[in-house]
Amino acid sequence: MLYAAFGVAVRRKFSAGYSIPDVIRFVADMRIAYGRDVSPIHPGVAEGMIREALGDPSFEDFDPQDVEAVMGAEAAILDTLLDEANFDEAGLEEFIKDAAQFASGWVAARQG
């Protein structure tokens, strides 16, 4: 479910016309905003996770081996995107519904 929320939030932030510099700038700005607490946010992992979630073919087989780096980056990215979205109650309910649908589709694809 965490990855589903991550995937939905990333796709909402970055439209189909995103550029690699957009992703790099987002990660850099996020790390600056986190200040001294950037140690759990590995920039290469964060950028790779975003690009993989967006379907970038060069990141199709992206599989970072450092689970701690992945979890830190995923949590920081999702936290930043949710903060930027500033959902009202209806917006949050829609986001949760979209994430649940994404998770259901992801599970179905792996079971098929």
Side-chain angles (χ1 to χ4, degrees), residues 26-44:
F26 171 80
V27 171
D29 290 345
M30 176 184 67
R31 294 182 80 231
I32 290 167
Y34 268 79
R36 293 182 187 192
D37 297 327
V38 298
S39 59
I41 307 169
H42 185 285

Side-chain angles (χ1 to χ4, degrees), residues 2 7 9 11 14 16 24 29 46 53 55-56 63 66 69 71 74-75 79 86 89 92 94 99:
L2 180 62
R11 285 179 184 87
F14 297 96
I24 293 168
D29 290 345
D56 184 327
D63 185 22
D66 185 346
M71 293 306 295
E74 186 173 49
D79 176 57
N86 194 25
E89 188 174 336
L92 182 57
E94 180 183 346

Side-chain angles (χ1 to χ4, degrees), residues 6-19:
F6 173 84
V8 169
V10 165
R11 285 179 184 87
R12 285 184 175 193
K13 167 71 176 179
F14 297 96
S15 67
Y18 82 95
S19 69

Side-chain angles (χ1 to χ4, degrees), residues 16-92:
Y18 82 95
S19 69
I20 293 170
D22 293 336
V23 173
I24 293 168
R25 171 54 50 203
F26 171 80
V27 171
D29 290 345
M30 176 184 67
R31 294 182 80 231
I32 290 167
Y34 268 79
R36 293 182 187 192
D37 297 327
V38 298
S39 59
I41 307 169
H42 185 285
V45 171
E47 292 166 13
M49 291 178 67
I50 291 169
R51 291 175 64 189
E52 186 273 333
L54 292 169
D56 184 327
S58 62
F59 281 80
E60 187 174 287
D61 295 324
F62 181 69
D63 185 22
Q65 298 300 306
D66 185 346
V67 174
E68 191 173 314
V70 169
M71 293 306 295
E74 186 173 49
I77 293 165
L78 184 56
D79 176 57
T80 300
L81 293 174
L82 292 177
D83 184 60
E84 285 181 1
N86 194 25
F87 292 122
D88 60 10
E89 188 174 336
L92 182 57

Side-chain angles (χ1 to χ4, degrees), residues 87-101:
F87 292 122
D88 60 10
E89 188 174 336
L92 182 57
E93 286 180 20
E94 180 183 346
F95 177 79
I96 292 169
K97 178 183 159 203
D98 290 348
Q101 288 175 342

